[in-house]
Amino acid sequence: MSKSKTRSKLLFLTCCEAGQANIQLSVIDKLQHLHGEDLDIYLCSFESLRKRCPDNVTFLTVKGKGMIQHFLDKYDDSEIDNGRKGGLLKHLFTPPGFCGAIKLALSMTNILHAEEPSDYVYYAQQCEQIISDLDPDFIVCDAVFEPGRDAIMKLSRKCILLSPNTFKDLATAQQGRDVFKWPCPGTGYSYPLPWYLRPLNTLSFIFFAKWVLKYDGRHRLFNKVRNQSGFKGELPMFQNKSSLQTNFLCVSTEKVEIPGKIPKWLKCCGPILLPVKPLESIDMDLYKWVMKRPTVLIVLGTHYKTSQEFANNMLISVRILLDKRKDVQVLWKLQKYGHFHIDEGSRKDQEDRLKIVDWLKPDPLAILKTGNVICFVNHGGSNSYHEGLATGTPQILMPAWVDCYDFAGRLSYFNNGVWGNAKAAPGISQPEFTKALLRVVGATPDAPEAQRMKARCKELSDIVTENGTREGSTIAAQSIWEELQLELNKKK
């Protein structure tokens, strides 16, 4: 498998979903630019990621399907009776608050592992075989790709874990009692916590830990089958990170984070963004359109499918904005749950200022980087949030599940956007979303709140990028390179 004895072999193991794989691909690109002549890089994942494998990187296939595909196979009924039953939405979407956190805890293992335990073991055994056959000098593993992590631990191989999440998601156990000052995952509670929410927040944390680690039958079943196959301990994501003797890399920036203790094994790299070509080199027609007027970009994530009711309410809000602000336009990537018609062209005075598409050729980051996006409406996923943060773009978050609520809860603390469905999540309230649009974009070009928010976003962008001189992918690549050198020195 090796291409050259003089070049070090570096193996990346990752989930195939964009939310996880994007930062792996970003770091691979950076390593190629910094140390390409010294490395043979391998990327190991499920087959669906092969089409995104960079040039001069060898792709190694794990036979099977990623976690999202397993989940969709089990619950996606959007093509059945036009998605009227909403089965996928019921299983995936959770409301914020105490009840939402409880529902999240109850469904956590099923979301992360919709596959059968035997499938999981099969994936881990394949990773084990790939590592043994390749014998890499060092391994970089996606923190959520648990089959890969299990294989690495069973073989006692050295690795570094790369995560698109924040230090808050990774260092919860290291906070001690101070963890109860943080909003519990899934609640969407703001920070600092209001006094009246502290009891429910504390109960949410306690229930979450007790249920998943002690009472969740599916979690226990996975551990039983794993252990019988030689993979020790708890599922890797739930193991004590301090005892792993493995370093983690994440996308946080210490100065733009909720206060907490950052352990020695965790490095905050800052936003790790995909390398994207300029928009004009990818889609000149879209570039010309985006640059005509200040643009609101609406992209609700790779896996977020929008119901007809949600889309119609959002459209009403968009039209109200376009009525008030004749100088702005809206680009909306709409992925429908089921099949329905949305009338984007019924208003002749707005038709050239509203573009609704089901697919975008460029990555949304390329559009954000034009500097002409005045508001980024997204689902609150980590990649989207940090793209908005790094580009200095005010955001409206429309979360519907899991960690997305955490980013929505941060907005009031950092004043870099507005939670657009705080009262209606995981759905939408047209008046609430309209108000959010008018706050972030401004009812007039010189609206004071919108101007303050714009300035604040620029300030935060300057911090996380150090005025455009720092890239999270560079920090991560340097850390990986340093650990690789340590491993090579041990072999001398």
Side-chain angles (χ1 to χ4, degrees):
M1 277 184 153
S2 175
K3 296 178 182 177
S4 169
K5 293 181 180 179
T6 60
R7 291 158 66 98
S8 301
K9 290 185 287 187
L10 181 61
L11 173 63
F12 281 76
L13 289 160
T14 182
C15 295
C16 57
E17 292 79 14
Q20 298 299 127
N22 279 1
I23 67 165
Q24 314 288 328
L25 297 173
S26 173
V27 174
I28 287 173
D29 178 79
K30 189 59 64 175
L31 282 165
Q32 286 182 312
H33 279 88
L34 296 174
H35 304 289
E37 294 182 357
D38 302 308
L39 290 172
D40 285 335
I41 300 178
Y42 300 80
L43 176 62
C44 176
S45 187
F46 298 105
E47 183 64 25
S48 60
L49 187 61
R50 180 187 291 273
K51 60 182 177 292
R52 300 187 64 200
C53 184
D55 293 338
N56 301 315
V57 172
T58 302
F59 190 82
L60 305 174
T61 302
V62 177
K63 296 177 183 177
K65 295 178 287 191
M67 59 180 177
I68 295 296
Q69 191 56 55
H70 274 292
F71 192 85
L72 292 175
D73 288 349
K74 206 169 191 178
Y75 298 114
D76 188 2
D77 60 353
S78 60
E79 298 300 320
I80 301 173
D81 194 22
N82 205 25
R84 285 186 174 86
K85 290 185 178 180
L88 176 63
L89 306 184
K90 291 175 183 176
H91 282 92
L92 185 59
F93 287 9
T94 59
F98 175 73
C99 292
I102 299 303
K103 182 180 178 182
L104 172 61
L106 293 173
S107 60
M108 174 61 78
T109 305
N110 199 42
I111 292 174
L112 291 174
H113 295 292
E115 76 275 23
E116 293 301 315
S118 58
D119 291 328
Y120 177 96
V121 169
Y122 177 53
Y123 300 157
Q125 289 171 338
Q126 288 184 72
C127 292
E128 183 182 356
Q129 189 64 53
I130 287 169
I131 294 170
S132 297
D133 290 345
L134 179 63
D135 189 24
D137 295 295
F138 194 62
I139 302 171
V140 182
C141 188
D142 170 8
V144 176
F145 190 47
E146 295 188 281
R149 290 180 62 176
D150 258 336
I152 291 166
M153 287 187 287
K154 186 177 179 182
L155 294 170
S156 300
R157 301 299 295 250
K158 188 68 177 176
C159 75
I160 197 167
L161 294 170
L162 180 58
S163 173
N165 298 108
T166 68
F167 101 95
K168 179 179 176 291
D169 302 305
L170 298 169
T172 301
Q174 284 64 48
Q175 305 307 309
R177 291 183 178 180
D178 285 346
V179 74
F180 299 119
K181 296 178 181 178
W182 285 357
C184 179
T187 61
Y189 292 156
S190 60
Y191 183 89
L193 273 169
W195 65 267
Y196 57 86
L197 289 177
R198 290 174 188 170
L200 286 178
N201 190 66
T202 300
L203 284 173
S204 298
F205 266 116
I206 294 172
F207 180 85
F208 201 105
K210 290 289 186 183
W211 171 262
V212 173
L213 297 178
K214 189 172 182 180
Y215 297 109
D216 185 350
R218 187 167 180 80
H219 184 93
R220 287 187 282 113
L221 175 62
F222 265 78
N223 283 332
K224 179 181 178 180
V225 175
R226 287 175 52 257
N227 296 161
Q228 289 172 345
S229 302
F231 301 105
K232 298 179 180 179
E234 295 279 342
L235 281 161
M237 281 182 62
F238 298 95
Q239 294 180 8
N240 185 339
K241 297 178 181 64
S242 296
S243 66
L244 294 178
Q245 297 183 328
T246 299
N247 290 327
F248 284 69
L249 305 174
C250 74
V251 298
S252 292
T253 303
E254 292 184 40
K255 293 179 181 179
V256 189
E257 259 298 349
I258 289 174
K261 302 169 188 172
I262 300 178
K264 292 181 179 179
W265 45 261
L266 178 59
K267 180 138 186 117
C268 294
C269 302
I272 300 175
L273 309 182
L274 271 178
V276 295
K277 296 179 180 178
L279 178 58
E280 58 269 33
S281 68
I282 304 170
D283 189 334
M284 179 56 78
D285 289 339
L286 183 60
Y287 172 75
K288 290 178 179 178
W289 188 87
V290 167
M291 299 307 291
K292 277 184 180 179
R293 305 176 185 89
T295 301
V296 176
L297 175 62
I298 305 176
V299 180
L300 296 181
T302 306
H303 304 293
Y304 191 115
K305 290 188 176 181
T306 305
S307 69
Q308 184 171 6
E309 180 184 5
F310 192 108
N312 284 333
N313 277 286
M314 183 166 275
L315 179 61
I316 293 171
S317 297
V318 166
R319 292 208 182 284
I320 292 172
L321 173 69
L322 293 176
D323 270 340
K324 288 184 176 293
R325 291 289 303 272
K326 307 293 186 183
D327 60 319
V328 306
Q329 58 189 16
V330 175
L331 173 60
W332 180 5
K333 179 187 175 184
L334 174 60
Q335 298 183 113
K336 300 174 182 177
Y337 191 79
H339 302 280
F340 57 86
H341 175 69
I342 185 165
D343 191 4
E344 61 181 294
S346 61
R347 293 280 301 274
K348 295 298 181 183
D349 62 322
Q350 295 182 357
E351 63 180 354
D352 66 327
R353 294 189 293 127
L354 174 59
K355 185 184 289 289
I356 302 177
V357 298
D358 58 7
W359 182 74
L360 285 169
K361 185 177 180 181
D363 189 273
L365 180 59
I367 301 172
L368 293 173
K369 283 191 168 185
T370 64
N372 216 41
V373 177
I374 56 172
C375 174
F376 182 26
V377 181
N378 65 80
H379 66 305
S382 182
N383 285 326
S384 295
Y385 175 82
H386 285 96
E387 286 169 358
L389 183 66
T391 56
T393 310
Q395 302 185 56
I396 295 176
L397 301 192
M398 304 292 287
W401 64 75
V402 200
D403 60 325
C404 302
Y405 287 123
D406 184 65
F407 290 108
R410 293 166 181 246
L411 294 177
S412 60
Y413 183 65
F414 293 110
N415 194 30
N416 59 327
V418 173
W419 184 350
N421 62 344
K423 296 178 181 178
I428 185 174
S429 160
Q430 178 267 311
E432 183 181 25
F433 182 59
T434 300
K435 183 178 179 181
L437 278 173
L438 294 176
R439 285 182 62 193
V440 175
V441 179
T444 61
D446 57 352
E449 183 179 16
Q451 292 299 311
R452 287 194 298 270
M453 199 175 295
K454 180 180 179 182
R456 175 59 172 161
C457 289
K458 174 64 166 62
E459 178 185 357
L460 294 175
S461 173
D462 288 343
I463 293 172
V464 301
T465 67
E466 292 184 0
N467 297 309
T469 64
R470 172 190 170 108
E471 292 182 323
S473 57
T474 301
I475 305 301
Q478 289 172 340
S479 297
I480 292 166
W481 178 256
E482 289 169 5
E483 291 218 22
L484 168 62
Q485 299 312 303
L486 290 174
E487 290 305 300
L488 293 174
N489 289 334
K490 290 178 184 178
K491 297 178 181 180
K492 292 181 179 179

